[in-house]
Amino acid sequence: MTTSVAQLRRCSVAVDLGAARTRVYVKNHGLIVDEPTVTAVNSRTGALIAVGARAEYMAGRTPDHIRVVRPVSHGTIVDIEMAQRLLRQLVGDKLRRAWRRRPTMRAAVCLPSGSEPLTQRAAVETLTGLGARRVELVDTMVAAAVGCGLPVEQPEATMIVVCGAGTTQVAVLSLGSIVAAETVPVGGDAIDHAVVQHLRLHHELTVASQNVRPLHVMLARDGVPEPGSTEVHGRDVVSGEARCVRVEPDRVRRAIAARLTGVLDAISDVLRRCPPDLVADLAERGIMLAGGSALVPGLEPMIRQGTLMPVQVAERPDTCAVQGLAAMIEGQVSSLALAPLTP
């Protein structure tokens, strides 16, 4: 799916349309959009009320006639029309008119490894509806590896784990291509659901998914003394009244770890499918974690203990994919020439 570097240099726009956030990079202008992939629509009139962070804040707080829509799920655009309306509002009228004045405007978009043809077609139709005359498709794994600064074009193994909102992708790359890859339906949303279920079963408390993120931040603190328990506010399951409970961090960690075992299984499967020489490279180079959910508490130590390999989290794990696309369209990445030898 990944196109050549020469073709990507002709692109002027790089788009990372993820399930959690949408990021748009414009050549020579930088990252101009970094907003949640959420829209709020009036179901009676079809009017678009809000997009991005404002629409995300409305989730769970709207009357019946206002619907909060997430047009991307598990790396797939499930609502093309809504995705186009989202991008139109986020990009802005001025920049969109500039795109349309360029009849040869090209866009690059990253998609999950091994995407189905319908997924690829949805991404192409979404961007062509905004004025793109040609859309180049790039594997998210390759783009994220480039954004992390990994030497993907060299004949050496590099392993990257991209933890998104809906899925986690694991891949080993060499010579600019994917040697082996695996995708598991475990991401930030699944972790949030595990915490919500833990609070419901053990504390009889109903909490919205967006309200458990501060608990993640508290659990992810390394080297900081933590209290024996943490207060969590929600609604009582039986009475329906507002209630506050104290939650023990260790129990929440165990609930999260139960969901993360799928990621470790995917890494083991990918390693088994790799040639021994590449696995030997990985023993020295280690594993790179990227994606918006790479900082999930317990993920890094679990992978380190399960694989006995060094594990490193990218400097900006949430923007690795779009930064990798940006480096490609800006001409900062050179491909390894594999021309046939002549006698």
Side-chain angles (χ1 to χ4, degrees), residues 61-325:
R61 298 179 172 90
T62 61
D64 293 338
H65 68 280
I66 296 180
R67 187 167 53 100
V68 177
V69 181
R70 297 182 181 272
V72 181
S73 176
H74 293 81
T76 302
I77 300 175
V78 295
D79 192 332
I80 296 177
E81 179 184 359
M82 199 59 64
Q84 289 178 347
R85 298 176 72 179
L86 169 72
L87 285 173
R88 285 193 187 101
Q89 292 296 322
L90 293 180
V91 170
D93 294 336
K94 182 177 180 180
L95 186 56
R96 193 172 70 253
R97 286 196 299 267
W99 287 5
R100 292 188 179 276
R101 285 197 298 267
R102 299 185 58 182
T104 60
M105 196 277 285
R106 297 190 179 194
V109 60
C110 53
L111 294 177
S113 177
S115 297
E116 298 292 334
L118 289 177
T119 301
Q120 301 178 18
R121 181 179 177 182
V124 172
E125 290 184 1
T126 299
L127 292 177
T128 52
L130 293 175
R133 298 302 183 265
R134 184 179 176 88
V135 179
E136 306 290 354
L137 304 180
V138 182
D139 277 304
T140 301
M141 312 299 295
V142 177
V146 172
C148 293
L150 298 177
V152 295
E153 73 281 358
Q154 299 299 323
E156 301 175 358
T158 55
M159 173 173 270
I160 185 167
V161 178
V162 179
C163 309
T167 61
T168 294
Q169 304 174 68
V170 183
V172 172
L173 301 96
S174 179
L175 291 174
S177 300
I178 295 177
V179 178
E182 188 72 29
T183 301
V184 291
V186 178
D189 293 342
I191 301 304
D192 292 345
H193 183 70
V195 177
V196 171
Q197 289 297 317
H198 172 79
L199 294 175
R200 183 180 181 88
L201 293 176
H202 297 276
H203 298 277
E204 297 183 348
L205 192 73
T206 301
V207 181
S209 297
Q210 59 265 28
N211 293 339
V212 304
R213 297 300 173 89
L215 188 59
H216 286 186
V217 175
M218 185 274 299
L219 293 174
R221 292 174 182 171
D222 294 329
V224 178
E226 298 176 356
S229 59
T230 303
E231 289 187 355
V232 177
H233 297 269
R235 186 184 65 189
D236 188 271
V237 174
V238 179
S239 65
E241 299 178 354
R243 187 162 65 93
C244 175
V245 300
R246 300 196 70 86
V247 180
E248 296 182 4
D250 290 339
R251 290 191 174 184
V252 178
R253 284 196 181 93
R254 287 195 292 268
I256 293 175
R259 295 295 181 96
L260 295 178
T261 54
V263 177
L264 193 59
D265 293 339
I267 294 175
S268 300
D269 291 341
V270 170
L271 290 175
R272 280 195 294 265
R273 285 186 276 144
C274 286
D277 291 342
L278 294 184
V279 176
D281 291 342
L282 294 174
E284 299 179 0
R285 190 182 300 275
I287 302 173
M288 178 68 73
L289 298 183
S293 301
L295 298 177
V296 167
L299 179 60
E300 180 184 355
M302 184 195 68
I303 295 178
R304 186 184 299 110
Q305 294 172 8
T307 61
L308 300 180
M309 293 182 182
V311 180
Q312 181 181 359
V313 180
E315 183 177 354
R316 287 292 307 275
D318 53 339
T319 60
C320 284
V322 70
Q323 292 297 339
L325 281 179

Side-chain angles (χ1 to χ4, degrees), residues 22-88:
T22 294
R23 298 177 176 91
V24 179
Y25 180 95
V26 177
K27 197 172 187 177
N28 300 325
H29 287 82
L31 190 65
I32 64 169
V33 172
D34 187 357
E35 291 281 344
T37 311
V38 187
T39 60
V41 185
N42 188 326
S43 58
R44 297 173 181 172
T45 63
L48 193 64
I49 298 176
V51 297
R54 185 183 174 194
E56 185 179 47
Y57 183 75
M58 292 182 180
R61 298 179 172 90
T62 61
D64 293 338
H65 68 280
I66 296 180
R67 187 167 53 100
V68 177
V69 181
R70 297 182 181 272
V72 181
S73 176
H74 293 81
T76 302
I77 300 175
V78 295
D79 192 332
I80 296 177
E81 179 184 359
M82 199 59 64
Q84 289 178 347
R85 298 176 72 179
L86 169 72
L87 285 173
R88 285 193 187 101

